Amino acid sequence: FLISCSSSKSTQEGTKESGSTPAIQLAGEPIPPNHCRIVGTVVAIDQDLTSSNPQSPCSKAPCSATVRVDSILGYGSAFGSSIATGQQVQIMFGFTLSPTKEILPQLTQTYPGLKVGSSFAANVRSDEGRGGKNTYNVNHYDAR
C-alpha cells in the first residue's frame, strides 16, 4: 500500500485568494466564551490616540471606532450583554484601525486596516468596566 498526500493549499486553509495575508477563519469555529461574533460597519473613528506608552500600537494610530452591528452570527458563553442588529457600539481595536503592516511590521498576521464605511467580521469580547458598563474589544477581524 502506498499513501500519498497533496501539498497544495486551498483558500479555506488560511490564505485569501487575493494575496498572502491569512484569512480569519470565523465560520464554523466555536465562539469563545465572553465573545459575540458580528458583521459590522465602521461608522466613525475616534482620531485620539488612547495610549501614551510608546510600545502600544494605540500610541501610533487610532484604536477606537463606533461600529454599526449589521448582523449577529452568534454568542459565546458568558457574553456580558446583548448586542442588537442595528445598534451602534464603541469598539477598541487592539491592533489599531490602521494597516498593521505599517504600524506593526513584526506581526505575522497582518490586517488591512479599517476606515469609515469598511465592513468586517470579528469576535467581539465584552469586558465589564467601571459602574457595570461593558466595553467591547476586537483583536482579530476579517475585512469584507
Side-chain angles (χ1 to χ4, degrees):
F1 264 67
L2 224 54
I3 300 174
S4 72
C5 297
S6 171
S7 64
S8 67
K9 293 185 179 182
S10 71
T11 58
Q12 292 182 341
E13 291 177 329
T15 58
K16 290 184 179 181
E17 292 177 23
S18 62
S20 61
T21 303
I24 304 302
Q25 298 295 321
L26 295 176
E29 285 188 6
I31 300 171
N34 208 32
H35 286 73
C36 173
R37 186 167 297 154
I38 70 162
V39 173
T41 300
V42 176
V43 174
I45 295 174
D46 181 354
Q47 295 297 321
D48 293 335
L49 301 181
T50 57
S51 177
S52 58
N53 177 350
Q55 302 300 321
S56 170
C58 296
S59 70
K60 301 172 185 172
C63 287
S64 181
T66 302
V67 173
R68 181 186 66 236
V69 178
D70 297 326
S71 63
I72 307 285
L73 304 177
Y75 288 98
S77 63
F79 186 74
S81 68
S82 294
I83 294 178
T85 300
Q87 182 179 354
Q88 291 187 11
V89 294
Q90 195 71 21
I91 296 180
M92 288 295 296
F93 288 81
F95 294 116
T96 82
L97 290 146
S98 294
T100 56
K101 203 176 261 189
E102 299 167 12
I103 302 294
L104 301 162
Q106 71 278 14
L107 286 182
T108 55
Q109 171 68 53
T110 60
Y111 300 96
L114 298 170
K115 57 187 177 184
V116 172
S118 295
S119 179
F120 67 95
N123 287 333
V124 178
R125 187 181 76 237
S126 173
D127 294 314
E128 188 173 329
R130 291 185 179 161
K133 183 177 179 176
N134 287 332
T135 59
Y136 301 106
N137 300 282
V138 166
N139 283 328
H140 309 287
Y141 63 87
D142 184 9
R144 301 286 165 128

